[in-house]
Amino acid sequence: MDRQLLRKRQYITVDSAIEMAGFGRVQILYLLAACVVSFTEVQIIMTIGLTLPSVQCEWSLGNREILTMLMVGSTSFIVGGLAGGVISDKYGRRKVILYGLLFMIISGFLATFQTSFTLFLISRGACLFFFTFIKPSSLCMILEITPRRYRFLVKMALMVSGQIGATCAAMTAFEIMNTSGWRMLLFWMIVPCITPLIIYIFLEESPRYLLVSGRTEEGVRLLREIYMRNGKEDVSSLIRHKRGVNRGQIGQLFTPEFEKTTLIVLAVFLLKNLISSTIHIAIPFIIKGSYCAAENATIEDEIDDCKGLSDSNLFSLTKAYIFGIAITVAGLSLAQIVGRKPAVITLYIATAAALLSCLWCDGKEMLIMKISMGLALNHGSMSIVSLFIQEIYPTSVRALATGFIFSSGHAITLLSPYIIVYGITGNEFEFFSVGGMVFLICAILFGQIQHETKNEPLQENARFSTDTDVESDVDWSLDYDD
């Protein structure tokens, strides 16, 4: 590094300090842990729908009990994400992740072996609560230590991990549901969570969070360790102490700078989650619907009411999710080329087309392929939107914003159980029509957002110096290359 340039600078921003740390062994460890969390995320969501018919038969549940179980799951998602975001911005990312993973694993294993429906409901609800509890912190932690030039690759790794998780869930269900039953499926979906728990035990807190929250000495110490492990020159002495600490509050999301964006993103999440969450849980019920039965269906295509999906259905689902990996990569690549907003709009339109194509059905295998394609497109768009959320809000409210928007967006999923129990069977045609229109509306709404965050530095609440030459510092950090 040219030390004459450094001598000319009186300070550097947090974003510049992170940029100079590069992407090395430390970030790879954080990314590995976050990828395993993402891997298990889709699996846990999918098991709700895959095991629902078996759970119903296990305890001879009626509509009322099914409705209660799904409502508990939806409520756990809502409360867990919001609580995790608030606590993370106040006490740190690492603690939330560690305790959340530990209790999620415990409650997940307890749910697997419960013989009472009530105890199963409680333990399963706790597992889903802690799953969403750690999500804002896991996403923010890896983003906050990643230089901006690598954010796209990190997000792609996370989303591809999620699609691989979905593929593995379908493959595992294909192998296990016939031989060992739904309990072992739940068991094997929880086992991978042990890996990130072990990794996070040996990882430190996000240095960006520490610096912005006023714990400067600790944050600088961690930055020095990252510089050393990544083989970079230590420039932490250029960081100056911050004057005061700005604690994040929900009200910051509705300041004039962010109000329009927050309201639009909330509206989009509310609309799309109603459709996507319902499809995730109701796949067995949709596939079982008679409106798309192929004339030449064989006995292997028949669905066991206590299993949910036939072997051929599960095999088709597996192939569809493998194809979904390519869709996710293409969607995120589009976001890096044309920007976050155009990519999201394109994917929402493509999702609408996939759902509307379900109106013209030529067999259950094609129906599964179309549904899975729609879910994969939605998954890709959600990954870009979540990246947009984490890039546009400052560090003091980043996890809070992520948790609040995700949780508030899941509030409408409280309607999903009613749709699944009382409305979807026999009305699949109308459901896909409405679903396609909803995603077209989401595309229009997202187009009203004025901000674009591609390759922009993460926002902070305050700088570390009284010098106001912030923009030139950002430019200088981008030009740095050893």
Side-chain angles (χ1 to χ4, degrees):
M1 180 187 296
D2 189 346
R3 291 188 174 277
Q4 290 183 350
L5 280 177
L6 289 178
R7 292 192 190 100
K8 293 178 181 179
R9 310 306 303 182
Q10 297 180 0
Y11 77 99
I12 61 172
T13 63
V14 177
D15 202 67
S16 297
I18 298 296
E19 291 290 321
M20 294 177 189
F23 193 89
R25 289 178 292 177
V26 175
Q27 285 83 357
I28 290 173
L29 281 175
Y30 280 94
L31 179 59
L32 175 62
C35 281
V36 180
V37 172
S38 180
F39 177 86
T40 60
E41 172 187 352
V42 180
Q43 289 189 326
I44 291 174
I45 294 175
M46 283 186 63
T47 55
I48 298 174
L50 292 174
T51 62
L52 184 57
S54 299
V55 172
Q56 185 176 10
C57 288
E58 176 89 10
W59 286 292
S60 301
L61 304 179
N63 285 346
R64 182 178 178 182
E65 289 81 9
I66 292 292
L67 190 62
T68 301
M69 183 170 64
L70 296 177
M71 289 289 286
V72 168
S74 296
T75 304
S76 298
F77 272 111
I78 296 168
V79 179
L82 182 58
V86 172
I87 295 174
S88 176
D89 280 332
K90 187 173 183 180
Y91 297 105
R93 319 306 193 204
R94 182 174 176 270
K95 289 181 180 178
V96 168
I97 295 173
L98 281 176
Y99 288 114
L101 280 171
L102 177 62
F103 289 118
M104 183 180 75
I105 292 169
I106 293 173
S107 57
F109 284 140
L110 286 175
T112 302
F113 300 107
Q114 292 301 332
T115 56
S116 163
F117 174 68
T118 301
L119 294 178
F120 170 79
L121 195 63
I122 294 172
S123 52
R124 182 65 173 164
C127 178
L128 295 175
F129 170 86
F130 287 112
F131 158 67
T132 53
F133 183 79
I134 68 173
K135 185 173 182 178
S137 299
S138 176
L139 293 174
C140 291
M141 197 167 189
I142 180 61
L143 182 72
E144 289 174 353
I145 65 166
T146 301
R148 75 188 75 164
R149 73 191 75 172
Y150 296 102
R151 284 185 217 151
F152 158 70
L153 294 175
V154 165
K155 199 63 181 180
M156 179 176 287
L158 292 175
M159 293 303 104
V160 169
S161 297
Q163 283 299 122
I164 293 175
T167 305
C168 290
M171 293 175 61
T172 306
F174 179 75
E175 295 292 335
I176 288 181
M177 291 293 280
N178 282 332
T179 56
S180 304
W182 64 273
R183 293 181 183 276
M184 288 307 296
L185 180 61
L186 289 184
F187 177 86
W188 286 111
M189 295 299 101
I190 292 295
V191 168
C193 297
I194 298 174
T195 301
L197 176 63
I198 295 173
I199 296 175
Y200 277 116
I201 289 175
F202 297 99
L203 294 181
E204 298 281 2
E205 180 59 83
S206 161
R208 184 189 295 267
Y209 167 79
L210 294 173
L211 291 168
V212 173
S213 63
R215 296 158 62 180
T216 309
E217 292 183 3
E218 192 177 353
V220 168
R221 177 184 63 81
L222 292 181
L223 269 180
R224 286 173 178 166
E225 291 182 6
I226 293 175
Y227 290 139
M228 180 184 67
R229 293 177 184 176
N230 288 354
K232 300 293 183 179
E233 187 169 358
D234 183 5
V235 294
S236 58
S237 60
L238 293 174
I239 298 178
R240 298 294 179 255
H241 291 276
K242 217 171 74 170
R243 299 183 177 181
V245 179
N246 190 356
R247 293 291 184 185
Q249 298 178 347
I250 290 180
Q252 287 180 250
L253 308 183
F254 296 95
T255 57
E257 182 181 3
F258 300 117
E259 182 179 21
K260 182 178 179 180
T261 300
T262 301
L263 291 176
I264 290 176
V265 174
L266 274 175
V268 167
F269 263 72
L270 285 168
L271 290 171
K272 79 175 193 64
N273 280 347
L274 178 62
I275 304 301
S276 61
S277 297
T278 302
I279 293 176
H280 267 297
I281 300 172
I283 283 181
F285 300 94
I286 295 172
I287 302 303
K288 190 166 63 175
S290 59
Y291 93 103
C292 197
E295 294 180 0
N296 58 347
T298 64
I299 189 66
E300 287 79 12
D301 294 317
E302 295 299 321
I303 297 176
D304 182 353
D305 285 340
C306 288
K307 182 180 174 184
L309 294 176
S310 68
D311 288 344
S312 63
N313 293 153
L314 288 171
F315 185 64
S316 299
L317 195 63
T318 302
K319 291 190 295 183
Y321 278 119
I322 293 175
F323 182 66
I325 296 174
I327 294 177
T328 300
V329 173
L332 284 166
S333 300
L334 184 66
Q336 188 65 10
I337 295 171
V338 303
R340 315 305 191 219
K341 191 170 74 169
V344 171
I345 294 172
T346 301
L347 290 177
Y348 280 158
I349 294 174
T351 305
L355 293 180
L356 291 174
S357 71
C358 294
L359 302 178
W360 294 272
C361 186
D362 47 5
K364 290 185 177 179
E365 182 172 351
M366 281 303 301
L367 175 62
I368 292 174
M369 181 64 72
K370 292 174 182 178
I371 292 174
S372 300
M373 186 182 299
L375 290 176
L377 289 165
N378 172 67
H379 189 65
S381 64
M382 184 178 68
S383 67
I384 302 171
V385 175
S386 65
L387 178 61
F388 174 82
I389 292 171
Q390 292 148 31
E391 288 176 335
I392 198 168
Y393 293 105
T395 301
S396 64
V397 292
R398 184 169 294 121
L400 173 60
T402 305
F404 174 76
I405 292 174
F406 273 78
S407 297
S408 300
H410 271 97
I412 201 167
T413 62
L414 291 173
L415 298 177
S416 294
Y418 292 94
I419 298 174
I420 294 169
V421 173
Y422 297 112
I424 204 166
T425 303
N427 299 301
E428 296 89 348
F429 190 90
E430 291 82 357
F431 175 77
F432 286 120
S433 300
V434 173
M437 295 305 297
V438 163
F439 274 93
L440 288 177
I441 294 172
C442 289
I444 295 172
L445 285 175
F446 208 82
Q448 305 306 308
I449 294 178
Q450 297 176 351
H451 301 283
E452 175 57 62
T453 61
K454 175 188 171 184
N455 292 330
E456 290 294 318
L458 296 185
Q459 294 200 42
E460 310 300 347
N461 287 76
R463 300 300 177 180
F464 285 89
S465 170
T466 55
D467 193 336
T468 57
D469 188 17
V470 174
E471 192 64 37
S472 62
D473 178 65
V474 173
D475 293 339
W476 172 73
S477 69
L478 280 172
D479 291 337
Y480 166 70
D481 191 6
D482 49 279

